[in-house]
Amino acid sequence: MHYIKAKTILSKNNGMNLYRGCSHGCIYCDSRSKIYGMDHDFLDIEVKENAVELLKAELKKRPKAMIGTGSMTDPYIPLEKELNYMGKVLKLILNYGFGFTCITKSDLILRDLNLLKKINEKTKVVVQMTITSHNDELSKILEPNVCVTSKRIEALEKLNKENIPTVVWLTPILPYINDNEENINKIIDACIKTNVKGIICFNMGLTLRVGNREYFYSQLDKHFPSLKEKYINKFGNRYVIQSPNNRTLMGLFKKRTNENNILNKPDEIFNYLRKFPEKTYQTTLF
């Protein structure tokens, strides 16, 4: 871990990242790609020590909107237990009347459940949870340093009980590893049970480029012997790696989500995530 003084914290679209780098250890992580220009080791988490102060200054002058985080680094990495930046950020978002959404794989988000409830009562909260495998043992291999899938589903259940909307990212789906009907069906079963609003799935597959490809292949050698050679022979150096079962699995995905009134078009879900509610509050005249 190392600290930096950041110059800015919010993008023009109200996205933020409190940290750079990640310790979840997901074998497929695109954020390892060299295209992002990270000049430090991926496991050496860069902490924006002035993030809370920068955010406060920005919220004072920006129009009300949804504040988002988690696109590059999960905000609930283990380091967050110690630093509690998200707790401080959520208090600011609540006090200044903004909405909030984040992408995470961690049930650590439940630590901040009371703050999420208060923001959702005042404006809007949507928690986005990534689920790639219904099987906890496989989850431990694919995402070794974060809670297993069953814990994420428990988090979705608790959020649902508190009327906090949720969205699931069904991605990535790795060819020859988790690209099968049983996996997709069981993840959708969990989404139905926990009343998720939408499931984001662009296609069944993953992306690989310089930086994350090399790490991914090293983990295939470690956990799935001989599979790296199969990938190289089948996909070469492609950026988009599509499952050979894509057509069948996407058909299954669309059919089951349509039948259960779960949003399944990415653009439609992104519009929902970005939309800031215009809530009106009734006043009492004396």
Side-chain angles (χ1 to χ4, degrees):
M1 177 186 73
H2 67 279
Y3 288 92
I4 66 158
K5 287 276 189 182
K7 295 180 179 179
T8 61
I9 192 62
L10 279 184
S11 72
K12 64 179 181 179
N13 295 319
N14 299 304
M16 67 177 177
N17 284 290
L18 304 174
Y19 309 111
R20 289 196 78 195
C22 188
S23 54
H24 283 344
C26 304
I27 71 171
Y28 50 72
C29 182
D30 177 70
S31 293
R32 291 178 178 273
S33 300
K34 289 188 177 180
I35 193 172
Y36 299 118
M38 190 175 295
D39 58 3
H40 58 88
D41 185 82
F42 194 67
L43 294 177
D44 178 16
I45 310 298
E46 181 178 280
V47 180
K48 299 175 183 178
E49 63 178 340
N50 58 335
V52 177
E53 292 80 6
L54 287 173
L55 182 62
K56 184 176 182 179
E58 286 292 332
L59 295 183
K60 284 181 177 179
K61 63 185 180 182
R62 291 213 182 189
K64 298 293 186 289
M66 296 293 292
I67 304 298
T69 188
S71 61
M72 286 295 296
T73 297
D74 192 322
Y76 286 99
I77 54 178
L79 187 61
E80 170 62 18
K81 293 179 185 178
E82 171 190 342
L83 298 181
N84 193 32
Y85 275 28
M86 280 304 303
K88 297 170 185 176
V89 160
L90 290 172
K91 286 179 182 177
L92 286 177
I93 289 171
L94 171 64
N95 292 338
Y96 284 94
F98 284 73
F100 175 73
T101 185
C102 74
I103 308 170
T104 185
K105 294 184 176 83
S106 177
D107 60 352
L108 179 59
I109 193 171
L110 295 177
R111 179 201 66 186
D112 296 326
L113 183 57
N114 285 337
L115 282 168
L116 296 173
K117 287 164 59 178
K118 290 177 181 178
I119 296 170
N120 194 48
E121 289 167 2
K122 190 174 180 180
T123 56
K124 175 183 172 184
V125 165
V126 186
V127 173
Q128 305 170 60
M129 187 73 72
T130 300
I131 299 179
T132 61
S133 172
H134 78 89
N135 183 287
D136 281 356
E137 293 307 310
L138 181 57
S139 176
K140 290 176 184 177
I141 294 172
L142 303 183
E143 302 137 349
N145 303 324
V146 68
C147 68
V148 293
T149 297
S150 60
K151 293 293 184 182
R152 296 178 216 176
I153 293 170
E154 287 177 12
L156 291 173
E157 289 174 342
K158 291 178 181 178
L159 292 163
N160 180 49
K161 287 179 181 178
E162 300 296 344
N163 297 313
I164 295 175
T166 55
V167 165
V168 162
W169 285 73
L170 181 58
T171 182
I173 299 299
L174 312 178
Y176 317 116
I177 296 176
N178 61 348
D179 61 335
N180 56 76
E181 292 188 27
E182 179 186 13
N183 185 48
I184 303 306
N185 271 319
K186 289 193 174 182
I187 292 174
I188 295 174
D189 286 344
C191 291
I192 295 167
K193 180 182 177 183
T194 57
N195 195 34
V196 303
K197 179 78 175 181
I199 305 176
I200 295 173
C201 181
F202 303 99
N203 269 305
M204 302 292 170
L206 76 158
T207 58
L208 292 176
R209 49 189 163 189
V210 176
N212 78 315
R213 179 184 288 111
E214 291 79 2
Y215 185 78
F216 178 67
Y217 281 170
S218 73
Q219 295 305 299
L220 290 188
D221 279 341
K222 181 178 179 180
H223 299 289
F224 307 96
S226 79
L227 194 52
K228 179 180 75 174
E229 287 70 25
K230 193 170 184 178
Y231 265 74
I232 292 171
N233 292 335
K234 177 72 174 178
F235 306 113
N237 287 325
R238 295 180 201 169
Y239 169 53
V240 177
I241 308 299
Q242 193 173 91
S243 165
N245 300 327
N246 180 62
R247 179 176 294 184
T248 297
L249 296 179
M250 284 303 295
L252 173 65
F253 166 72
K254 291 176 181 177
K255 179 178 183 293
R256 293 209 62 202
T257 49
N258 285 334
E259 288 174 347
N260 290 279
N261 297 314
I262 297 174
L263 298 178
N264 60 19
K265 297 176 181 176
D267 287 346
E268 191 174 23
I269 298 172
F270 292 143
N271 287 336
Y272 166 71
L273 293 171
R274 286 190 292 262
K275 187 175 181 180
F276 183 75
E278 296 179 3
K279 292 186 177 180
T280 57
Y281 299 91
Q282 185 175 355
T283 58
T284 303
L285 298 178
F286 295 93

